[in-house]
Amino acid sequence: VLFLISITAFSEPKSNLIINSLILFSSLILAWLYYNHCKKFKESFINLEIFTYATFKIGFYGGIFSRLCLGGIPFLIPLMMQMLLQKEPWLSGILMLPIALGLILAKLATPYISKHFSLNQILIINTLAMCVFFLILSQLNFLKFNEQHFLIFMAFGAFQSLQYASLNAIAYQRIPSKLLSYATSVISIQQQLGISLGVAICSILLKIFSGPEGFNLKTFQYNFLILGFISIILLCFIIYYLISARDEA
């Protein structure tokens, strides 16, 4: 909680850098102390044994970075619509409907996709598609909104659904039944942390790239570019641990 408070506070225009840094440092110290507590007591809330499985590491860390990247889009796009195109808040929200449509279509197509592709293939291809998606967003001219934007948003919804579903599935792939409750608790925390962190990081990036006159198109394009770079790191991480999981098997 303290970690999220400090990260969110950094995005505020008149935030106190010293106080925020102290809160961030305190949160890291507390996390380190709890980590040592978990190492001594196996019956603690988080059983570190689950992190010995490479597939769980993919699901946990991959989930955080995926939600960091994807979770910021529903925050950035409506904000951009309001700031650059002077759209009403309700209309900016309606423009996000293609994302919901993409989510629904991906849910319907998931059983068909699972029959023809392995979980590892879906994860790698979908993460690569995420990288391409953010690259496209960084080059789009949102000042001229047209039908291609709706198609891109719908594709984003599909990517998001497949990414979360595949990461959740791979996280539990090799977890034994005795550790399943611990894994479920950790994954639920990760989901909340990842989404909150995504919005906070995007807010900080907006603050960094905004000019003296406030937000402009370049501000958002740079933001999308950074998220694309994080997605590339995520792709490398997933490939590395998929190889480790294969060796582990």
Side-chain angles (χ1 to χ4, degrees):
V1 175
L2 284 176
F3 178 76
L4 284 176
I5 290 173
S6 62
I7 294 296
T8 304
F10 278 118
S11 64
E12 297 295 327
K14 295 182 180 180
S15 60
N16 190 308
L17 184 62
I18 296 175
I19 293 176
N20 293 342
S21 299
L22 286 173
I23 295 173
L24 178 61
F25 181 73
S26 299
S27 69
L28 295 175
I29 291 293
L30 290 172
W32 178 77
L33 290 172
Y34 189 72
Y35 170 76
N36 285 303
H37 169 77
C38 292
K39 286 175 69 176
K40 292 179 181 178
F41 303 97
K42 289 189 177 182
E43 297 303 320
S44 58
F45 180 72
I46 298 176
N47 191 325
L48 297 180
E49 188 180 344
I50 58 178
F51 287 97
T52 60
Y53 298 91
T55 50
F56 185 81
K57 289 179 182 178
I58 294 172
F60 180 78
Y61 296 113
I64 286 181
F65 281 101
S66 292
R67 285 175 171 81
L68 192 154
C69 297
L70 299 174
I73 297 299
F75 162 73
L76 287 174
I77 300 296
L79 180 63
M80 183 168 55
M81 295 295 110
Q82 294 175 55
M83 300 296 293
L84 300 184
L85 302 180
Q86 306 300 314
K87 300 289 185 183
E88 294 292 331
W90 66 269
L91 183 57
S92 300
I94 289 176
L95 291 174
M96 293 295 96
L97 285 177
I99 295 179
L101 180 59
L103 283 165
I104 294 170
L105 292 175
K107 289 289 184 185
L108 295 174
T110 298
Y112 174 82
I113 295 171
S114 301
K115 288 180 181 178
H116 292 80
F117 299 95
S118 69
L119 193 58
N120 295 356
Q121 289 174 329
I122 294 172
L123 198 52
I124 291 174
I125 294 171
N126 200 69
T127 308
L128 181 60
M130 274 176 52
C131 301
V132 175
F133 166 76
F134 283 115
L135 180 62
I136 292 172
L137 280 184
S138 68
Q139 301 302 314
L140 274 181
N141 183 5
F142 284 93
L143 298 178
K144 296 179 180 179
F145 203 84
N146 52 45
E147 61 278 358
Q148 70 174 350
H149 294 80
F150 284 94
L151 293 174
I152 291 170
F153 293 161
M154 191 165 67
F156 164 74
F159 296 149
Q160 187 179 36
S161 177
L162 284 172
Q163 190 74 4
Y164 293 165
S166 55
L167 283 168
N168 287 339
I170 205 168
Y172 299 107
Q173 198 174 51
R174 294 179 184 169
I175 298 294
S177 56
K178 65 177 182 178
L179 297 176
L180 201 56
S181 60
Y182 294 107
T184 303
S185 301
V186 171
I187 290 296
S188 63
I189 293 171
Q190 171 254 96
Q191 291 172 352
Q192 297 301 318
L193 177 65
I195 293 172
S196 302
L197 198 58
V199 175
I201 293 297
C202 287
S203 300
I204 292 172
L205 291 175
L206 286 175
K207 182 180 179 181
I208 292 172
F209 293 120
S210 60
E213 298 179 358
F215 299 149
N216 54 45
L217 182 60
K218 289 292 183 183
T219 303
F220 292 93
Q221 288 178 329
Y222 288 144
N223 210 318
F224 294 136
L225 203 58
I226 295 296
L227 294 178
F229 178 71
I230 295 173
S231 298
I232 293 172
I233 296 174
L234 172 62
L235 178 62
C236 297
F237 168 84
I238 288 173
I239 292 173
Y240 172 79
Y241 273 103
L242 282 175
I243 294 171
S244 300
R246 186 180 61 185
D247 295 339
E248 186 180 90

